[in-house]
Amino acid sequence: MEDKDMIIPNEGETEMASEQANIEQDVHEERELSEDELGYKEFVDSLEEKWYVLHTFSGYENVAKENLETVVEKFNLQDRIFDVVIPMEDVVEEKNGKKKLVQRKAMPCYILVKMKYADDLWHNVTRTRGITGFVGPKGRPLALTEEEVIKLRLEKIKVETDIAVGDRVEIIEGALNSMIGSVVSVNVEEGVASVSVEMFGRDTIVDVQLSQIHKIQA
C-alpha cells in the first residue's frame, strides 16, 4: 500500500481516542472498586460486635484512648471500632479529715474496646501509641463473655422496675453500698436513678444503676 492510501488520524481524533480510553479505564477501575467495597461490606457484616481488653502503659489510659479514637478517624474504621472505654468507679476518699466521693480508674493500665475484630485490625490497634497489646492467650484477642460485659456495665441493660420518685431505697452495690436514700428521678431508658442520700453530713444526689438499688417496703 502506498503512503497516499494510509489514513493518518489528525491530532483531534487522537486526543478523542485517548480520552475515550481513559474513560473506559476509569469505569473499569470504578467497577473493580465497587466489587471490592461490596466484598468488604459482606466481610464486615459477617463479623460480630464484641468487647475486648487492651493493655496500656501505666498512666497512659487516656492517651491510649484518644490515640485509638484518632486511628479510627484516620483510617475510617467507624464500621469496625465503635467505642473505647476507660472503666471508672466511685470511691469514698478521706483527705484532711474530710470525706468525699470521687471517681477513679477501676482497671489501671487497661481500656475496653467494642469492635468487630479480625486480623486486618491487628496492626492498627497494637501500633497505637500507649497500647501494648490485647489481653488474651499469648497476647491474642479474647472477647469478653456476656457475663463479663454485664458485670462491667458496658452495655445498657433494660431493667423492669416499679421504683418511682419518692420511694425509699437501699443501695446494694458499689462504694455507697448499704446507704439509704430517696429517689429523686428515674430514667428507665438509661437504667439509672438519681437518689438523695445523706453523705458527709449533708444530702447528696448520686446517680446509680437501677440494678444497684433495692426498694424498701413501707
Side-chain angles (χ1 to χ4, degrees), residues 14-28:
T14 301
E15 290 179 353
M16 288 180 62
S18 177
E19 183 177 349
Q20 180 63 30
N22 289 336
I23 292 174
E24 292 175 355
Q25 177 65 24
D26 289 342
V27 170
H28 177 68

Side-chain angles (χ1 to χ4, degrees), residues 41-57:
K41 184 178 183 305
E42 291 176 347
F43 166 67
V44 171
D45 288 344
S46 70
L47 300 173
E48 288 186 65
E49 295 181 20
K50 294 183 178 181
W51 284 92
Y52 296 85
V53 182
L54 296 174
H55 190 269
T56 72
F57 290 110

Side-chain angles (χ1 to χ4, degrees), residues 51 142-150:
W51 284 92
L142 179 66
L144 293 176
T145 64
E146 185 176 348
E147 291 75 17
E148 289 170 330
V149 170
I150 292 173

Side-chain angles (χ1 to χ4, degrees), residues 60-196:
Y60 272 69
E61 298 90 353
N62 292 331
V63 172
K65 179 179 186 294
E66 292 172 3
N67 287 341
L68 185 55
E69 290 170 343
T70 299
V71 168
V72 172
E73 291 293 328
K74 180 178 179 180
F75 294 100
N76 297 316
L77 296 173
Q78 294 86 350
D79 61 343
R80 301 290 301 279
I81 299 177
F82 308 101
D83 201 3
V84 185
V85 173
I86 299 175
M88 306 295 290
E89 64 180 355
D90 291 327
V91 296
V92 177
E93 287 188 352
E94 185 173 348
K95 189 175 182 180
N96 300 324
K98 294 183 179 180
K99 292 182 179 180
K100 61 179 180 178
L101 186 67
V102 299
Q103 276 202 325
R104 72 178 183 189
K105 294 181 178 67
M107 298 169 59
C109 297
Y110 297 97
I111 60 176
L112 306 176
V113 183
K114 184 178 184 179
M115 67 174 81
K116 287 187 171 184
Y117 178 80
D119 287 343
D120 62 318
L121 282 186
W122 172 262
H123 291 299
N124 293 102
V125 175
T126 58
R127 289 183 178 178
T128 299
R129 181 171 175 264
I131 294 174
T132 63
F134 283 90
V135 174
K138 296 183 179 180
R140 300 302 301 174
L142 179 66
L144 293 176
T145 64
E146 185 176 348
E147 291 75 17
E148 289 170 330
V149 170
I150 292 173
K151 184 177 180 180
L152 291 168
R153 304 187 188 283
L154 295 172
E155 302 282 359
K156 294 176 183 176
I157 303 172
K158 191 170 183 179
V159 178
E160 297 292 337
T161 182
D162 61 349
I163 291 174
V165 173
D167 285 343
R168 295 283 289 173
V169 295
E170 179 183 4
I171 299 175
I172 57 176
E173 288 183 29
L176 304 181
N177 185 35
S178 299
M179 283 194 173
I180 294 175
S182 298
V183 177
V184 176
S185 66
V186 179
N187 187 330
V188 177
E189 291 294 324
E190 296 292 328
V192 174
S194 294
V195 180
S196 177

